[in-house]
């Protein structure tokens, strides 16, 4: 995912990172502190467990799953794509350095593939100290969005079992809740759609709703053959009738 990334010219500032990029870097900062502390106590089993858990859960199951679309389908220099590549460089550089004491040769090999200027060897590089922490306000937002993600994923799984949908990108999820329960989601609708990893998200504020409900239906429009999202814009472009408007711009 970094094959076309030149850190010297493609890196974006922290202020230009998306909320999801900032969230994963916040999680990485917490993990990095725990791993550094474990190394200082010579507790290598804690190092292994903490890194493994982070890679399996926050990094793979959540972050990578969500950003595949922007990495593969956005145009090469799209701000969201460059933001994620900036994030991936920071994650990869830090992980390799943290793994170097216990995966000596593998870390050295991986280090050689990192783009940009760096020490000749990972074993000559400084210990990672790059940190990014979410503000209290940002933490509230992401706690709220993840609060919607879990029940939405549960309903998507039910829909899959009932053969209503196959992949999550075939789905449209409608969340109905009291306005006070939807305030954060309404202000962050696109990040929430990306977090649930669906094609379409509808948010319905209803004063009479007793508790938030999550309804899965088939997404509207048609499947884009390039990004696989279901979009109503598929077929609108004569030269590219099988792809959506975003992909038309990307291939242009």
């Amino acid at each position: 995912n970094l094959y076309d990334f030149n850190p010297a010219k493609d890196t974006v500032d922290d202020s230009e990172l998306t909320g999801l990029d900032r969230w994963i870097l916040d999680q990485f900062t917490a993990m990095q502190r725990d791993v550094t502390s474990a190394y200082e106590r010579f507790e290598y089993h804690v190092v292994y467990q903490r890194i493994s858990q982070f890679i399996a859960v926050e990094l793979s199951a959540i972050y990578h799953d969500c950003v595949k679309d922007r990495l593969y389908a956005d145009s090469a220099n799209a701000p969201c794509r460059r933001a994620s590549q900036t994030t991936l460089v920071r994650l990869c550089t830090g992980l390799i350095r943290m793994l170097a004491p216990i995966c000596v040769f593998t870390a050295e090999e991986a280090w050689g593939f990192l783009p940009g200027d760096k020490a000749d060897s990972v074993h000559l590089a400084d210990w990672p100290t790059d940190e990014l922490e979410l503000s209290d306000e940002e933490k509230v937002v992401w706690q709220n969005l993840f609060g919607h993600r879990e029940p939405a994923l549960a309903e998507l799984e039910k829909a899959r079992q009932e053969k209503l949908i196959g992949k999550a990108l075939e789905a449209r999820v409608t969340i109905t809740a009291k306005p006070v329960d939807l305030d954060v989601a309404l202000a962050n609708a696109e990040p929430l759609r990306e977090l649930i990893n669906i094609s379409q998200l509808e948010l319905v504020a209803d004063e009479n709703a007793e508790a938030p409900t999550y309804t899965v239906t088939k997404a509207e429009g048609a499947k884009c053959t390039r990004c696989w999202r279901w979009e109503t814009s598929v077929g609108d472009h004569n030269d590219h009738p099988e792809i959506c408007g975003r992909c038309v711009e990307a291939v242009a």
Side-chain angles (χ1 to χ4, degrees), residues 152-195:
L153 292 183
E155 290 302 316
L156 286 168
E157 183 56 34
K158 290 180 184 177
R160 266 191 290 266
Q161 293 173 359
E162 295 169 359
K163 309 299 183 183
L164 175 64
I165 61 169
K167 296 182 180 297
L169 285 178
E170 296 176 21
R172 176 186 182 91
V173 172
T174 301
I175 304 176
T176 304
K178 290 183 180 296
V180 67
D181 294 328
L182 275 185
D183 283 350
V184 174
L186 285 167
N188 298 273
E190 177 55 22
L192 180 56
R193 184 207 60 77
E194 186 179 46
L195 190 62

Side-chain angles (χ1 to χ4, degrees), residues 198-216:
I198 51 177
S199 287
Q200 295 157 14
L201 174 67
E202 181 181 15
L203 302 172
V204 179
D206 183 357
E207 284 286 4
N208 298 318
E210 294 185 3
T213 59
Y214 301 81
T215 306
V216 177

Side-chain angles (χ1 to χ4, degrees), residues 103-125:
C103 294
V104 179
F105 295 103
T106 304
E108 182 72 352
E109 183 178 4
W111 186 258
F113 285 95
L114 282 175
D117 295 331
K118 55 186 182 293
D120 291 337
S121 165
V122 66
H123 305 293
L124 297 175

Side-chain angles (χ1 to χ4, degrees), residues 14-175:
D14 285 358
S15 61
E16 298 177 64
L17 296 174
T18 71
L20 187 61
D21 297 322
R22 291 178 60 81
W23 172 80
I24 192 63
L25 288 172
D26 174 84
Q27 298 295 304
F28 181 77
T29 293
M31 184 272 292
Q32 179 176 283
R33 290 174 179 173
D34 291 344
V35 167
T36 301
S37 178
Y39 267 124
E40 290 172 345
R41 299 192 305 272
F42 303 100
E43 294 178 348
Y44 302 120
H45 66 290
V46 175
V47 171
Y48 157 74
Q49 291 168 355
R50 189 68 175 87
I51 293 177
S52 294
Q53 180 189 34
F54 171 80
I55 290 175
V57 180
E58 289 90 349
L59 186 56
S60 180
I62 300 176
Y63 183 73
H64 275 311
D65 195 46
C66 292
V67 301
K68 282 185 297 186
D69 178 71
R70 63 169 81 161
L71 286 170
Y72 302 160
D74 278 1
S75 58
N77 290 310
C80 280
R81 184 170 184 272
R82 291 306 191 195
S84 283
Q85 288 183 309
T86 298
T87 301
L88 289 175
V89 165
R90 292 167 69 165
L91 293 170
C92 198
T93 303
L95 280 169
I96 292 172
R97 284 184 287 182
M98 279 188 280
L99 286 167
I102 55 177
C103 294
V104 179
F105 295 103
T106 304
E108 182 72 352
E109 183 178 4
W111 186 258
F113 285 95
L114 282 175
D117 295 331
K118 55 186 182 293
D120 291 337
S121 165
V122 66
H123 305 293
L124 297 175
D126 291 334
W127 190 251
T129 56
D130 183 23
E131 296 185 346
L132 186 152
E133 287 188 274
L134 294 180
S135 66
D136 290 341
E137 293 79 6
E138 288 176 297
K139 289 179 180 177
V140 169
V141 168
W142 284 95
Q143 287 171 357
N144 185 286
L145 297 185
F146 273 103
H148 287 298
R149 180 179 188 264
E150 296 309 316
L153 292 183
E155 290 302 316
L156 286 168
E157 183 56 34
K158 290 180 184 177
R160 266 191 290 266
Q161 293 173 359
E162 295 169 359
K163 309 299 183 183
L164 175 64
I165 61 169
K167 296 182 180 297
L169 285 178
E170 296 176 21
R172 176 186 182 91
V173 172
T174 301
I175 304 176

